[in-house]
């Protein structure tokens, strides 16, 4: 009986450690991707214009935009799997869901997803994204948030 109690305590401890590691990995990975955009005005411009519409980009810029979106989607896919495995807490899952809905819900994000993005990921993640996009809920609009104040005054 003592052995069973000990194993239960150890299992719970390992689970909490795994959750903490998942949270840390999420923050670290998201920061790394965000810094690519944040530290380069040309990259930030590509990101912003791409979210508005891929038609705003040259072929090379479109490639950069899709590479950035692919990195975000890779991260979201891993976070989705961690969520499925009960290793990602609600607070961080909310961030992931809002990012997916907002970024892939943008015009450029929709283009990426419907022109190859969807088929690049496992069926479970694709089903999750498709359900979010079907709701047409976009918690934030990064392109609009970063527009000139005079562009948004209406």
């Amino acid at each position: 009986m003592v052995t069973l109690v000990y194993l239960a305590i150890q299992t719970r401890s390992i689970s909490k450690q795994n959750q903490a590691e998942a949270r840390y990995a999420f923050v670290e990975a998201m920061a790394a991707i965000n810094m690519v955009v944040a530290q380069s005005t040309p990259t930030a411009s590509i990101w912003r214009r791409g979210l508005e519409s891929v038609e705003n980009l040259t072929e090379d810029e479109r490639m950069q935009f899709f590479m950035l979106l692919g990195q975000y989607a890779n991260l979201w896919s891993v976070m989705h799997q961690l969520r499925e495995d009960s290793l990602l807490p609600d607070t961080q899952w909310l961030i992931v869901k809002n990012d997916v809905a907002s970024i892939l819900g943008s015009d450029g994000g929709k283009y990426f997803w419907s022109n190859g993005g969807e088929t690049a990921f496992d069926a479970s993640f694709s089903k999750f994204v498709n359900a979010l996009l079907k709701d047409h809920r976009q918690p934030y609009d990064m392109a609009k948030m970063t527009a000139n104040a005079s562009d948004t005054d209406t």
Side-chain angles (χ1 to χ4, degrees):
M1 183 67 160
V2 173
T3 304
L4 288 176
V5 171
Y6 175 77
L7 285 174
I9 291 170
Q10 287 300 101
T11 301
R12 184 169 184 217
S13 175
I14 290 169
S15 178
K16 294 251 182 229
Q17 181 180 355
N18 288 343
Q19 288 177 343
E21 289 172 3
R23 287 191 296 270
Y24 178 76
F26 168 77
V27 170
E28 190 175 72
M30 191 61 104
I33 298 170
N34 286 337
M35 290 310 290
V36 169
V37 176
Q39 291 180 336
S40 167
T41 300
T43 303
S45 174
I46 291 168
W47 181 247
R48 180 187 49 76
R49 290 181 292 122
L51 289 172
E52 291 169 351
S53 172
V54 294
E55 298 302 319
N56 295 337
L57 304 173
T58 66
E59 285 183 26
D60 291 338
E61 289 172 334
R62 196 172 298 152
M63 174 62 80
Q64 288 179 289
F65 178 69
F66 289 164
M67 293 298 290
L68 283 169
L69 266 176
Q71 288 303 304
Y72 278 109
N74 281 335
L75 174 61
W76 298 329
S77 176
V78 170
M79 295 300 108
H80 178 262
Q81 186 59 57
L82 289 171
R83 179 63 176 184
E84 294 288 308
D85 294 341
S86 300
L87 293 175
L88 196 67
D90 292 343
T91 53
Q92 285 183 306
W93 183 238
L94 178 63
I95 294 167
V96 173
K97 280 180 27 178
N98 286 343
D99 282 352
V100 171
S102 297
I103 293 172
L104 292 182
S106 70
D107 287 345
K110 288 176 194 172
Y111 185 91
F112 166 83
W113 190 250
S114 65
N115 287 280
E118 178 180 8
T119 59
F121 297 94
D122 68 271
S124 176
F125 178 67
S126 293
K127 183 178 177 181
F128 157 72
V129 171
N130 289 334
L132 275 182
L133 295 178
K134 187 176 182 180
D135 286 344
H136 302 289
R137 187 182 75 79
Q138 198 174 359
Y140 62 86
D141 183 336
M142 191 175 293
K144 187 181 270 187
M145 288 169 41
T146 60
N148 289 329
S150 61
D151 294 344
T152 59
D153 292 338
T154 53

